[in-house]
């Protein structure tokens, strides 16, 4: 039997000493509203990519502790997507197969609980770095302005996109009164976060030329 309750994922905080030994990051997200702890740059980017996927409702970094506390194993991330539960472990490409073999008992037992366990390469995440870093910026904006209401601006933007299908970020922000530009930008990011519009930012940094497409 598993040594953990798979029904209750929660972040297992990183000890202070280990933070100094790994490539450590801490970041507040929307789908994980607490401060998430990440043990590598790839883990941080992976969380940003989860934020960009409207099918993902929430995620939890370092969600379980398998085995004894001192020598136990913590998967990198749990997330829920379209009702399906996933566990993810990130490893360098050359170590993916060995990690799958080593974790086979845990992977098999997770499957019995209808939790899909995937070992993915750091490289598969890093190749999406531009998209992920753009979404890190978007998430930070969403967190910073989370207490502001934008329902009116969201409806205006949706109606505008129904008529013309696509605009640029600059057209959304620059053509309005400057004192409302931050709320328009916030409204746009909220719509994208919910999957109602698409921000085409996979290949270049966010800028005024970034295109916004109606879905």
């Amino acid at each position: 039997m598993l040594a953990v309750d798979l029904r209750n994922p929660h972040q297992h905080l990183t000890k202070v000493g280990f933070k100094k030994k790994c490539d450590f990051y801490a970041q507040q997200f929307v789908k994980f509203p607490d401060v998430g702890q990440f043990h590598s740059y790839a883990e941080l980017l992976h969380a940003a990519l989860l934020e960009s996927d409207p099918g993902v409702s929430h995620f939890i970094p370092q969600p379980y502790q398998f085995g004894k506390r001192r020598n136990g194993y913590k998967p990198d991330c749990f997330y829920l997507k379209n009702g399906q539960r996933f566990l993810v472990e990130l490893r360098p490409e050359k170590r993916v197969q060995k990690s799958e073999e080593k974790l086979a008992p845990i992977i098999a037992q997770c499957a019995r609980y209808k939790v899909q366990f995937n070992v993915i390469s750091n490289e598969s995440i890093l190749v999406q770095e531009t998209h992920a870093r753009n979404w890190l910026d978007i998430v930070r904006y969403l967190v910073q302005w989370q207490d502001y209401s934008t329902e009116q601006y969201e409806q205006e933007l949706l109606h505008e996109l129904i008529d013309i299908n696509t605009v640029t970020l600059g057209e959304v922000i620059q053509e309005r009164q400057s004192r409302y530009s931050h709320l328009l930008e916030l409204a746009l990011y909220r719509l994208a976060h919910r999957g109602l519009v698409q921000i085409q930012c996979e290949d270049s940094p966010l800028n005024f030329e970034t295109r916004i497409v109606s879905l």
Side-chain angles (χ1 to χ4, degrees):
M1 295 294 291
L2 287 173
V4 298
D5 182 2
L6 287 176
R7 298 168 299 179
N8 184 33
H10 61 278
Q11 181 175 224
H12 291 260
L13 298 179
T14 305
K15 294 181 179 180
V16 173
F18 186 69
K19 293 178 184 178
K20 298 178 181 179
K21 297 178 182 179
C22 68
D23 189 15
F24 182 81
Y25 299 85
Q27 172 68 48
Q28 184 175 353
F29 283 86
V30 178
K31 296 176 183 178
F32 183 72
D34 202 351
V35 176
Q37 297 186 347
F38 306 92
H39 298 165
S40 72
Y41 183 53
E43 287 184 31
L44 177 68
L45 296 183
H46 177 257
L49 292 172
L50 293 178
E51 288 281 0
S52 76
D53 185 344
V56 174
S57 59
H58 69 276
F59 66 87
I60 301 171
Q62 318 301 325
Y64 299 113
Q65 171 79 44
F66 291 92
K68 296 181 180 180
R69 184 172 182 83
R70 179 177 293 274
N71 299 314
Y73 163 66
K74 299 175 186 176
D76 290 325
C77 189
F78 167 93
Y79 66 93
L80 187 68
K81 179 174 179 177
N82 299 325
Q84 172 67 47
R85 295 181 295 167
F86 294 87
L87 271 175
V88 169
E89 178 68 24
L90 283 90
R91 285 285 186 265
E93 179 65 45
K94 62 183 179 181
R95 293 174 55 192
V96 167
Q97 184 175 351
K98 288 184 177 180
S99 294
E100 289 175 338
E101 295 170 356
K102 183 177 180 180
L103 295 170
I106 291 177
I107 293 173
Q109 292 191 52
C110 285
R112 295 175 196 155
Y113 288 81
K114 297 183 179 179
V115 178
Q116 182 174 325
F117 195 117
N118 296 321
V119 181
I120 61 178
S121 71
N122 293 333
E123 290 82 353
S124 69
I125 300 300
L126 294 173
V127 75
Q128 303 175 75
E129 181 180 21
T130 298
H131 190 206
R133 288 189 65 89
N134 285 334
W135 269 93
L136 274 178
D137 289 340
I138 291 171
V139 165
R140 288 163 180 162
Y141 202 93
L142 291 172
V143 170
Q144 179 182 0
W145 298 97
Q146 60 185 320
D147 295 328
Y148 285 75
S149 174
T150 58
E151 291 183 7
Q152 174 184 346
Y153 299 109
E154 291 172 31
Q155 292 301 315
E156 290 178 3
L157 289 172
L158 284 175
H159 285 304
E160 180 176 335
L161 283 166
I162 288 174
D163 293 333
I164 61 175
N165 189 50
T166 181
V167 296
T168 65
L169 184 58
E171 288 170 338
V172 171
I173 296 174
Q174 289 182 314
E175 293 182 3
R176 273 79 171 185
Q177 297 181 34
S178 59
R179 62 175 176 168
Y180 298 125
S181 62
H182 67 288
L183 292 177
L184 285 160
E185 187 173 2
L186 178 61
L188 176 63
Y189 293 158
R190 284 176 171 169
L191 291 173
H193 193 255
R194 299 203 302 272
L196 298 176
V197 302
Q198 180 186 49
I199 300 177
Q200 297 184 334
C201 59
E202 293 84 359
D203 302 317
S204 60
L206 281 173
N207 56 58
F208 283 151
E209 299 304 315
T210 299
R211 303 201 70 79
I212 316 300
V213 179
S214 175
L215 296 177

